[in-house]
Amino acid sequence: EPRRLRIRAQTRGCRRIRDGRRAESLPDLRWETNLLKALGTVAAIGHERTLLTDPSGELGGIRTPALALGEASGFAMV
C-alpha cells in the first residue's frame, strides 16, 4: 500500500548537477516522501560506493553509491 511507504532521510554532502557536472554544494536537508516517489526521481546511480555510518554508533554503517535525483520535493532545512 503506497501510503505505508513513507521514508524520512537526511542528505549530507549533496551538490547540484549542472551540464552533467557537480556544481555548488547544498545545505544538509531533511526529506520526507513516499519511497516509490523518491525512487521514481532517480536519474543516475554512481559507480563508486561511499560508507555512510550511523551517527549514534548503534547500527554500524552501509556502503552505498551516490544517487542523482531529478526533481525532488519535500525537503526541509536541518
Coordinates of all heavy atoms in Angstrom, one line a residue:
E1 N 0.8 -1.2 0.0 CA 0.0 0.0 0.0 C 0.9 1.2 0.0 O 1.7 1.4 0.9 CB -0.9 0.0 1.2 CG -1.8 1.2 1.3 CD -2.7 1.1 2.5 OE1 -3.5 0.2 2.6 OE2 -2.6 2.0 3.4
P2 N 0.8 2.1 -1.0 CA 1.7 3.2 -1.2 C 1.7 4.2 0.0 O 2.8 4.7 0.4 CB 1.2 3.9 -2.4 CG 0.6 2.9 -3.2 CD 0.0 1.9 -2.2
R3 N 0.6 4.3 0.7 CA 0.6 5.2 1.9 C 1.5 4.8 3.0 O 1.9 5.6 3.9 CB -0.9 5.4 2.4 CG -1.7 6.3 1.5 CD -3.1 6.4 2.0 NE -3.8 5.3 1.5 CZ -4.8 4.7 2.1 NH1 -5.3 5.2 3.2 NH2 -5.4 3.7 1.6
R4 N 1.8 3.5 3.1 CA 2.7 3.0 4.1 C 4.1 3.1 3.8 O 5.0 2.7 4.6 CB 2.3 1.6 4.4 CG 0.8 1.5 4.9 CD 0.6 0.1 5.4 NE 1.5 0.0 6.6 CZ 1.2 -0.7 7.6 NH1 0.1 -1.4 7.7 NH2 2.1 -0.8 8.6
L5 N 4.5 3.5 2.6 CA 5.9 3.5 2.2 C 6.5 4.9 2.4 O 7.4 5.3 1.6 CB 6.0 3.1 0.7 CG 5.7 1.7 0.4 CD1 5.7 1.4 -1.0 CD2 6.6 0.7 1.2
R6 N 6.2 5.6 3.5 CA 6.8 6.9 3.8 C 8.2 6.7 4.3 O 8.5 5.7 5.0 CB 6.0 7.6 4.9 CG 4.6 7.9 4.6 CD 4.4 9.0 3.5 NE 5.0 10.2 3.9 CZ 5.2 11.2 3.1 NH1 4.8 11.1 1.9 NH2 5.7 12.3 3.5
I7 N 9.1 7.5 3.8 CA 10.5 7.5 4.3 C 10.9 8.8 4.8 O 10.4 9.9 4.4 CB 11.5 7.0 3.2 CG1 11.5 8.0 2.0 CG2 11.2 5.6 2.8 CD1 12.6 7.8 1.1
R8 N 11.9 8.8 5.7 CA 12.4 10.1 6.3 C 14.0 9.9 6.1 O 14.5 8.9 6.6 CB 12.1 10.2 7.8 CG 12.2 11.6 8.3 CD 11.7 11.6 9.7 NE 10.2 11.5 9.7 CZ 9.5 11.1 10.7 NH1 10.1 10.7 11.8 NH2 8.2 11.0 10.7
A9 N 14.6 10.8 5.4 CA 16.0 10.7 5.1 C 16.7 12.1 5.4 O 16.0 13.1 5.5 CB 16.2 10.3 3.7
Q10 N 18.0 12.0 5.5 CA 18.7 13.3 5.7 C 19.9 13.3 4.6 O 20.6 12.3 4.5 CB 19.3 13.4 7.1 CG 20.0 14.7 7.3 CD 20.4 14.9 8.7 OE1 19.8 14.4 9.6 NE2 21.4 15.8 8.9
T11 N 20.0 14.4 3.9 CA 21.1 14.5 2.9 C 22.3 15.1 3.6 O 22.2 15.9 4.5 CB 20.7 15.4 1.8 OG1 20.5 16.7 2.3 CG2 19.4 14.9 1.1
R12 N 23.5 14.6 3.1 CA 24.7 15.2 3.6 C 25.7 15.2 2.4 O 25.8 14.3 1.7 CB 25.3 14.3 4.7 CG 24.6 14.4 6.0 CD 25.4 13.7 7.1 NE 24.6 13.7 8.3 CZ 24.1 12.6 8.9 NH1 24.3 11.5 8.3 NH2 23.4 12.7 10.0
G13 N 26.4 16.3 2.3 CA 27.4 16.4 1.2 C 26.8 16.4 -0.2 O 27.4 16.0 -1.1
C14 N 25.6 16.9 -0.3 CA 24.9 17.0 -1.7 C 25.4 18.2 -2.5 O 25.8 19.2 -1.9 CB 23.4 17.0 -1.5 SG 22.7 15.5 -0.9
R15 N 25.3 18.0 -3.8 CA 25.7 19.0 -4.7 C 24.7 19.1 -5.8 O 24.1 18.1 -6.2 CB 27.1 18.8 -5.3 CG 28.2 18.7 -4.3 CD 29.5 18.3 -4.9 NE 30.4 19.3 -5.4 CZ 30.9 20.3 -4.7 NH1 30.7 20.4 -3.4 NH2 31.7 21.1 -5.2
R16 N 24.5 20.2 -6.4 CA 23.7 20.4 -7.6 C 24.5 19.8 -8.8 O 25.7 19.7 -8.8 CB 23.4 21.8 -7.9 CG 22.4 22.4 -7.0 CD 21.9 23.8 -7.6 NE 21.1 24.4 -6.6 CZ 19.8 24.2 -6.4 NH1 19.2 23.3 -7.1 NH2 19.1 24.8 -5.5
I17 N 23.8 19.4 -9.8 CA 24.4 18.9 -11.1 C 24.0 19.9 -12.2 O 22.8 20.1 -12.4 CB 24.0 17.5 -11.4 CG1 24.5 16.5 -10.3 CG2 24.6 17.0 -12.7 CD1 24.0 15.1 -10.4
R18 N 25.0 20.5 -12.9 CA 24.8 21.4 -14.0 C 25.6 20.9 -15.2 O 26.8 20.7 -15.1 CB 25.2 22.8 -13.6 CG 24.3 23.4 -12.6 CD 24.6 25.0 -12.6 NE 24.2 25.6 -11.4 CZ 23.0 25.7 -10.9 NH1 22.0 25.1 -11.5 NH2 22.7 26.4 -9.8
D19 N 24.9 20.7 -16.3 CA 25.6 20.3 -17.5 C 26.4 19.0 -17.3 O 27.4 18.8 -17.8 CB 26.5 21.4 -18.1 CG 25.7 22.7 -18.4 OD1 24.6 22.6 -18.9 OD2 26.3 23.8 -18.1
G20 N 25.8 18.1 -16.5 CA 26.4 16.8 -16.3 C 27.6 16.8 -15.3 O 28.3 15.8 -15.2
R21 N 27.9 17.9 -14.7 CA 29.0 18.0 -13.7 C 28.5 18.5 -12.4 O 27.5 19.2 -12.3 CB 30.0 19.0 -14.3 CG 30.6 18.5 -15.6 CD 31.7 19.6 -16.0 NE 32.2 19.2 -17.3 CZ 33.4 18.7 -17.5 NH1 34.2 18.7 -16.5 NH2 33.8 18.4 -18.7
R22 N 29.3 18.1 -11.3 CA 29.0 18.6 -10.0 C 29.1 20.1 -9.9 O 30.1 20.6 -10.4 CB 29.8 17.9 -9.0 CG 29.5 16.4 -8.8 CD 30.3 15.8 -7.7 NE 31.7 15.8 -8.0 CZ 32.6 15.4 -7.2 NH1 32.4 15.1 -6.0 NH2 33.9 15.4 -7.6
A23 N 28.2 20.7 -9.3 CA 28.2 22.2 -9.1 C 28.3 22.5 -7.6 O 28.8 21.7 -6.8 CB 27.0 22.8 -9.8
E24 N 27.7 23.6 -7.2 CA 27.7 24.1 -5.8 C 27.2 23.1 -4.8 O 26.3 22.3 -5.1 CB 27.1 25.5 -5.7 CG 25.6 25.5 -5.8 CD 25.0 25.6 -7.2 OE1 25.8 25.5 -8.2 OE2 23.8 25.8 -7.3
S25 N 27.7 23.2 -3.6 CA 27.2 22.4 -2.5 C 25.8 22.8 -2.1 O 25.5 24.0 -2.2 CB 28.1 22.5 -1.3 OG 29.4 21.9 -1.6
L26 N 25.0 21.9 -1.5 CA 23.7 22.2 -1.0 C 23.8 22.0 0.5 O 24.6 21.2 1.0 CB 22.7 21.3 -1.6 CG 22.4 21.5 -3.1 CD1 21.5 20.4 -3.6 CD2 21.8 22.8 -3.4
P27 N 23.0 22.7 1.3 CA 23.0 22.5 2.7 C 22.4 21.1 3.1 O 21.7 20.5 2.2 CB 22.0 23.6 3.3 CG 21.2 23.9 2.1 CD 22.0 23.7 0.9
D28 N 22.7 20.6 4.2 CA 22.1 19.4 4.7 C 20.6 19.6 4.8 O 20.2 20.6 5.4 CB 22.7 18.9 6.0 CG 24.2 18.5 5.9 OD1 24.6 18.3 4.8 OD2 24.8 18.3 6.9
L29 N 19.9 18.6 4.3 CA 18.4 18.8 4.3 C 17.7 17.5 4.9 O 18.3 16.4 4.8 CB 17.9 19.0 2.9 CG 18.4 20.2 2.2 CD1 18.0 20.1 0.7 CD2 17.9 21.5 2.8
R30 N 16.6 17.6 5.5 CA 15.7 16.5 5.9 C 14.7 16.3 4.8 O 14.2 17.3 4.2 CB 15.0 16.8 7.2 CG 14.3 15.6 7.8 CD 13.8 15.8 9.1 NE 14.8 16.3 10.0 CZ 14.8 17.4 10.7 NH1 13.7 18.2 10.7 NH2 15.7 17.8 11.5
W31 N 14.4 15.1 4.5 CA 13.5 14.8 3.4 C 12.5 13.8 3.8 O 12.8 12.7 4.3 CB 14.3 14.2 2.2 CG 13.7 14.0 0.9 CD1 12.6 14.7 0.4 CD2 14.1 13.1 -0.1 NE1 12.3 14.2 -0.8 CE2 13.2 13.3 -1.2 CE3 15.1 12.2 -0.2 CZ2 13.3 12.6 -2.4 CZ3 15.2 11.5 -1.4 CH2 14.3 11.7 -2.4
E32 N 11.2 14.1 3.6 CA 10.1 13.2 3.9 C 9.3 13.0 2.7 O 8.9 14.0 2.1 CB 9.2 13.7 5.1 CG 9.9 13.7 6.4 CD 9.0 14.0 7.5 OE1 7.8 13.5 7.5 OE2 9.4 14.6 8.5
T33 N 9.1 11.7 2.2 CA 8.4 11.5 1.0 C 8.0 10.0 1.0 O 8.2 9.3 1.9 CB 9.3 11.8 -0.2 OG1 8.6 11.7 -1.4 CG2 10.5 10.8 -0.3
N34 N 7.4 9.6 -0.1 CA 7.0 8.3 -0.4 C 8.1 7.6 -1.1 O 8.7 8.1 -2.0 CB 5.7 8.3 -1.3 CG 5.3 6.9 -1.7 OD1 5.9 6.4 -2.6 ND2 4.3 6.4 -1.0
L35 N 8.4 6.3 -0.7 CA 9.6 5.6 -1.2 C 9.4 5.5 -2.7 O 10.4 5.7 -3.5 CB 9.7 4.3 -0.5 CG 10.9 3.4 -1.0 CD1 12.2 4.1 -0.9 CD2 10.9 2.0 -0.3
L36 N 8.3 5.1 -3.2 CA 8.1 4.9 -4.7 C 8.3 6.2 -5.4 O 8.9 6.2 -6.5 CB 6.7 4.3 -5.0 CG 6.5 2.9 -4.4 CD1 5.1 2.5 -4.7 CD2 7.5 1.9 -4.9
K37 N 7.8 7.3 -4.8 CA 8.0 8.6 -5.5 C 9.5 9.0 -5.5 O 10.0 9.5 -6.5 CB 7.2 9.7 -4.7 CG 7.3 11.0 -5.3 CD 6.4 12.0 -4.5 CE 6.5 13.4 -5.1 NZ 5.6 14.3 -4.3
A38 N 10.2 8.7 -4.4 CA 11.6 9.0 -4.4 C 12.4 8.2 -5.4 O 13.3 8.7 -6.2 CB 12.2 8.8 -3.0
L39 N 12.1 6.9 -5.5 CA 12.8 6.1 -6.5 C 12.5 6.4 -7.9 O 13.3 6.3 -8.8 CB 12.5 4.6 -6.2 CG 13.1 4.0 -4.9 CD1 12.6 2.6 -4.7 CD2 14.6 4.1 -4.9
G40 N 11.3 7.0 -8.1 CA 10.9 7.4 -9.4 C 11.6 8.6 -9.9 O 11.6 9.0 -11.1
T41 N 12.4 9.4 -9.0 CA 13.1 10.5 -9.4 C 14.6 10.3 -9.7 O 15.3 11.2 -10.1 CB 13.0 11.7 -8.4 OG1 13.7 11.3 -7.2 CG2 11.6 12.0 -8.1
V42 N 15.1 9.0 -9.5 CA 16.5 8.7 -9.7 C 16.8 8.8 -11.1 O 16.3 8.2 -12.0 CB 16.8 7.3 -9.2 CG1 18.2 6.9 -9.5 CG2 16.6 7.2 -7.7
A43 N 17.8 9.7 -11.4 CA 18.2 10.0 -12.8 C 19.5 9.2 -13.1 O 19.7 8.9 -14.3 CB 18.5 11.5 -13.0
A44 N 20.3 8.9 -12.1 CA 21.6 8.2 -12.3 C 22.1 7.6 -11.0 O 21.7 8.1 -9.9 CB 22.6 9.1 -12.9
I45 N 22.9 6.6 -11.1 CA 23.5 5.9 -9.9 C 25.0 5.9 -10.2 O 25.4 5.5 -11.2 CB 22.9 4.5 -9.7 CG1 21.4 4.6 -9.5 CG2 23.6 3.8 -8.6 CD1 20.7 3.2 -9.4
G46 N 25.7 6.4 -9.2 CA 27.2 6.4 -9.3 C 27.8 5.0 -9.2 O 27.2 4.0 -8.7
H47 N 29.0 4.8 -9.7 CA 29.7 3.5 -9.6 C 30.6 3.4 -8.4 O 30.9 2.3 -8.0 CB 30.4 3.2 -10.9 CG 31.5 4.2 -11.3 ND1 32.7 4.3 -10.7 CD2 31.4 5.3 -12.1 CE1 33.4 5.3 -11.2 NE2 32.7 5.9 -12.1
E48 N 31.0 4.5 -7.8 CA 31.8 4.4 -6.6 C 30.9 4.4 -5.4 O 29.9 5.0 -5.3 CB 32.7 5.6 -6.5 CG 33.8 5.6 -7.6 CD 34.6 6.8 -7.5 OE1 34.7 7.4 -6.4 OE2 35.3 7.2 -8.5
R49 N 31.2 3.6 -4.4 CA 30.4 3.5 -3.2 C 31.0 4.3 -2.0 O 32.3 4.4 -1.9 CB 30.3 2.0 -2.7 CG 29.5 1.2 -3.7 CD 29.3 -0.2 -3.2 NE 28.6 -0.9 -4.2 CZ 28.4 -2.2 -4.1 NH1 28.9 -2.9 -3.1 NH2 27.8 -2.9 -5.0
T50 N 30.2 4.8 -1.2 CA 30.6 5.6 0.0 C 30.1 4.9 1.2 O 29.0 4.4 1.2 CB 30.0 7.0 -0.1 OG1 30.4 7.6 -1.3 CG2 30.4 7.9 1.1
L51 N 30.9 4.9 2.3 CA 30.5 4.4 3.5 C 29.7 5.4 4.3 O 30.3 6.5 4.6 CB 31.7 3.9 4.3 CG 31.4 3.3 5.7 CD1 30.5 2.1 5.6 CD2 32.6 3.0 6.5
L52 N 28.5 5.1 4.7 CA 27.7 6.0 5.5 C 27.5 5.3 6.8 O 27.1 4.2 6.9 CB 26.3 6.2 4.9 CG 26.3 6.8 3.5 CD1 24.9 6.9 2.9 CD2 26.9 8.2 3.5
T53 N 27.9 6.0 7.9 CA 27.8 5.5 9.2 C 26.7 6.1 10.0 O 26.3 7.2 9.8 CB 29.1 5.7 10.0 OG1 29.4 7.1 10.1 CG2 30.3 5.0 9.3
D54 N 26.2 5.3 10.9 CA 25.1 5.7 11.8 C 25.7 6.6 12.9 O 26.6 6.2 13.6 CB 24.4 4.5 12.5 CG 23.4 4.9 13.5 OD1 22.9 6.0 13.5 OD2 23.1 4.0 14.4
P55 N 25.4 7.9 13.0 CA 26.0 8.8 14.0 C 25.9 8.3 15.4 O 26.8 8.6 16.2 CB 25.2 10.1 13.8 CG 24.5 10.0 12.6 CD 24.3 8.6 12.3
S56 N 24.9 7.5 15.8 CA 24.7 7.0 17.1 C 25.7 5.8 17.4 O 26.0 5.5 18.5 CB 23.3 6.5 17.4 OG 23.0 5.3 16.7
G57 N 26.2 5.2 16.3 CA 27.1 4.1 16.5 C 26.4 2.8 16.8 O 27.1 1.8 16.9
E58 N 25.1 2.8 16.8 CA 24.4 1.6 17.2 C 24.1 0.7 16.0 O 24.1 -0.5 16.1 CB 23.0 2.0 17.8 CG 23.1 2.7 19.1 CD 21.7 3.1 19.6 OE1 20.7 2.6 19.2 OE2 21.7 4.0 20.5
L59 N 24.0 1.3 14.8 CA 23.6 0.5 13.6 C 24.8 0.2 12.7 O 24.6 -0.4 11.6 CB 22.5 1.1 12.9 CG 21.2 1.3 13.6 CD1 20.2 2.1 12.8 CD2 20.6 0.0 14.1
G60 N 26.0 0.7 13.0 CA 27.1 0.4 12.1 C 27.1 1.4 10.9 O 27.0 2.6 11.1
G61 N 27.1 0.8 9.7 CA 27.0 1.6 8.5 C 26.6 0.9 7.3 O 26.3 -0.3 7.4
I62 N 26.5 1.5 6.2 CA 26.1 0.9 4.9 C 27.0 1.5 3.8 O 27.3 2.7 3.8 CB 24.6 1.1 4.6 CG1 24.2 0.4 3.4 CG2 24.3 2.6 4.6 CD1 22.7 0.4 3.2
R63 N 27.4 0.7 2.9 CA 28.1 1.2 1.7 C 27.1 1.4 0.6 O 26.3 0.5 0.2 CB 29.2 0.2 1.3 CG 30.3 0.2 2.3 CD 31.5 -0.6 1.9 NE 32.2 0.0 0.8 CZ 33.1 1.0 0.9 NH1 33.3 1.6 2.0 NH2 33.7 1.5 -0.2
T64 N 27.1 2.6 0.0 CA 26.0 2.9 -1.0 C 26.6 3.8 -2.1 O 27.5 4.6 -1.8 CB 24.9 3.6 -0.3 OG1 23.8 3.9 -1.3 CG2 25.3 4.9 0.4
P65 N 26.1 3.6 -3.3 CA 26.5 4.6 -4.4 C 25.8 5.9 -4.3 O 24.7 5.9 -3.6 CB 26.1 3.8 -5.7 CG 25.0 3.0 -5.2 CD 25.2 2.6 -3.8
A66 N 26.3 6.9 -4.9 CA 25.6 8.2 -4.9 C 24.4 8.1 -5.9 O 24.5 7.3 -6.8 CB 26.6 9.3 -5.4
L67 N 23.4 8.8 -5.6 CA 22.2 8.9 -6.5 C 22.1 10.3 -7.0 O 22.2 11.3 -6.2 CB 20.9 8.5 -5.7 CG 20.8 7.1 -5.1 CD1 19.5 7.0 -4.4 CD2 20.9 6.1 -6.3
A68 N 21.8 10.4 -8.3 CA 21.4 11.7 -8.8 C 19.9 11.7 -9.0 O 19.3 10.9 -9.7 CB 22.1 11.9 -10.2
L69 N 19.2 12.7 -8.3 CA 17.8 12.8 -8.4 C 17.4 13.8 -9.4 O 18.0 14.9 -9.5 CB 17.2 13.1 -7.0 CG 17.5 12.2 -5.9 CD1 16.9 12.7 -4.6 CD2 17.0 10.8 -6.2
G70 N 16.3 13.6 -10.1 CA 15.7 14.6 -10.9 C 15.0 15.6 -10.0 O 15.6 16.1 -9.1
E71 N 13.8 15.9 -10.3 CA 13.1 16.9 -9.4 C 12.7 16.1 -8.2 O 12.3 15.0 -8.2 CB 11.9 17.4 -10.1 CG 12.2 18.3 -11.3 CD 11.0 18.9 -11.9 OE1 10.0 19.1 -11.2 OE2 11.0 19.1 -13.1
A72 N 12.9 16.8 -7.1 CA 12.5 16.3 -5.8 C 11.8 17.4 -4.9 O 12.2 18.5 -5.1 CB 13.7 15.7 -5.0
S73 N 10.9 17.0 -4.1 CA 10.3 17.9 -3.2 C 10.1 17.3 -1.8 O 10.4 16.2 -1.6 CB 8.9 18.3 -3.8 OG 8.1 17.1 -3.8
G74 N 9.7 18.1 -0.9 CA 9.5 17.7 0.5 C 10.7 17.9 1.4 O 10.8 17.3 2.4
F75 N 11.7 18.7 0.9 CA 12.9 18.9 1.7 C 12.7 20.0 2.7 O 11.9 21.0 2.5 CB 14.1 19.4 0.8 CG 14.6 18.3 0.0 CD1 14.3 18.1 -1.4 CD2 15.5 17.3 0.5 CE1 14.8 17.1 -2.2 CE2 16.0 16.3 -0.3 CZ 15.6 16.2 -1.6
A76 N 13.3 20.0 3.9 CA 13.3 21.0 4.9 C 14.7 21.2 5.4 O 15.5 20.2 5.5 CB 12.4 20.6 6.0
M77 N 15.1 22.4 5.8 CA 16.4 22.6 6.4 C 16.6 21.8 7.7 O 15.6 21.7 8.4 CB 16.6 24.1 6.6 CG 16.6 24.9 5.4 SD 18.0 24.7 4.3 CE 19.3 25.4 5.2
V78 N 17.8 21.3 7.9 CA 18.0 20.5 9.1 C 18.4 21.5 10.2 O 19.0 22.5 10.0 CB 19.2 19.6 8.9 CG1 19.6 18.9 10.2 CG2 18.8 18.5 7.9

